[in-house]
Amino acid sequence: MNVLVVGANGKIGKQLVHLLRGSSEHTVKAMVRKEEQAEAFAKLGVEVSVTSLEDRVEDIAQAARGCHAIVFTAGSGRHTGFDKTLLIDLDGAVKTVEAAEMVGIKRFIMVSAIQAHKRESWNEKMVPYYVAKYYADKILEQSELTYTIIRPGRLVDEPGIGKITTAENIKGGSIPREDLAKTILHSLTEENTFYRSFDLITGDIPLADALKLI
Ligand code: NAP
């Protein structure tokens, strides 16, 4: 599959691009928002599109043209205001879903956040972020796309252990970004994750096996 990574310059995005480059099953296209970021990917031989999630749906669709799957792992980050939470985490995600529909891409993986589907679990300091994730996920679930919504716990930069726990409801926990990137990679073709949404933290089951148990 040729996979468009939206948010490719981010911490997860970079690890996922690296995994996809090393895979025999897939090729990768990176979507980044700045020319200087594009140069770094081009030097690695990675196809790249400079497109912002604040651009038009048609521009995101153009970036996605020729791909077979999209992974959305962008985020407005902690250091921006609620305007960017709306524009990136909500509208950027929904525009990417619309772009997939526009160019006929069916497979879509969304990086959401743990318990985003349960209002009563939301951290009260981050309610706007969870609102954005909640509605972006809902719109993806109601689309015609073959979605997987992964809701990871707190992301850490420790090395991955290759073992995870997935469930409909996990109260809290963390996961190394490396293991999240590997979970995304495996999910791309693991049919058991199609049309599924799940919380994800580090655990004790090898990740390929855990994805078969969802
Ligand atoms: P990250 O390093 O901040 O990466 C986010 C990426 O989104 C960055 O590369 C950023 O671009 C890109 N982005 C922001 N605005 C954009 C725009 N207008 N157009 C295109 N790209 C844009 O974050 P991460 O650690 O990889 O994690 C990202 C995902 O995990 C997000 O969906 C986040 O909500 C989710 N998540 C995070 C946690 C956590 O503990 N941090 C927990 C659960 C879920 P630049 O590189 O140019 O800034």
Side-chain angles (χ1 to χ4, degrees):
M1 260 189 235
N2 192 20
V3 183
L4 181 74
V5 178
V6 176
N9 194 58
K11 287 183 176 177
I12 299 165
K14 281 180 178 159
Q15 297 208 37
L16 181 61
V17 168
H18 175 73
L19 290 173
L20 288 163
R21 281 179 73 216
S23 128
S24 53
E25 276 176 279
H26 306 294
T27 52
V28 61
K29 183 171 182 183
M31 191 180 113
V32 299
R33 58 174 163 168
K34 294 178 191 146
E35 287 294 347
E36 61 268 29
Q37 297 166 345
E39 280 169 29
F41 285 96
K43 273 187 191 153
L44 296 171
V46 174
E47 190 186 0
V48 56
S49 169
V50 179
T51 308
S52 170
L53 288 164
E54 294 188 53
D55 293 345
R56 300 171 312 149
V57 176
E58 289 78 4
D59 300 318
I60 301 169
Q62 187 56 35
R65 219 170 278 281
C67 294
H68 309 102
I70 298 180
V71 177
F72 183 94
T73 183
S76 59
R78 287 174 183 272
H79 304 294
T80 57
F82 295 145
D83 55 339
K84 296 295 179 191
T85 308
L86 275 178
L87 287 169
I88 307 306
D89 303 295
L90 177 51
D91 199 38
V94 173
K95 286 197 289 188
T96 307
V97 170
E98 290 175 8
E101 288 169 335
M102 196 175 274
V103 292
I105 295 173
K106 291 298 254 183
R107 186 76 181 110
F108 197 111
I109 297 186
M110 179 76 86
V111 176
S112 181
I114 194 166
Q115 292 287 298
H117 63 313
K118 292 260 180 243
R119 288 190 178 97
E120 55 275 24
S121 303
W122 294 351
N123 176 336
E124 61 184 39
K125 290 184 184 147
M126 294 171 63
V127 168
Y129 168 75
Y130 280 104
V131 169
K133 290 294 202 191
Y134 178 91
Y135 285 102
D137 293 354
K138 274 231 178 273
I139 287 167
L140 175 56
E141 284 172 344
Q142 287 165 6
S143 76
E144 297 294 315
L145 304 184
T146 308
Y147 68 83
T148 300
I149 297 172
I150 302 177
R151 299 187 302 257
R154 188 170 50 85
L155 302 177
V156 295
D157 287 324
E158 291 155 20
I161 61 164
K163 293 182 178 175
I164 59 173
T165 294
T166 67
E168 161 69 16
N169 261 309
I170 301 175
K171 288 294 171 209
S174 64
I175 182 163
R177 285 182 170 84
E178 184 183 348
D179 284 338
L180 172 55
K182 285 184 179 161
T183 302
I184 296 168
L185 180 76
H186 280 267
S187 296
L188 277 168
T189 51
E190 173 52 72
E191 292 187 17
N192 198 42
T193 69
F194 292 7
Y195 307 106
R196 306 299 289 271
S197 308
F198 54 89
D199 287 344
L200 171 76
I201 57 170
T202 206
D204 50 13
I205 306 176
L207 65 86
D209 298 338
L211 293 176
K212 292 190 190 302
L213 298 172
I214 291 169

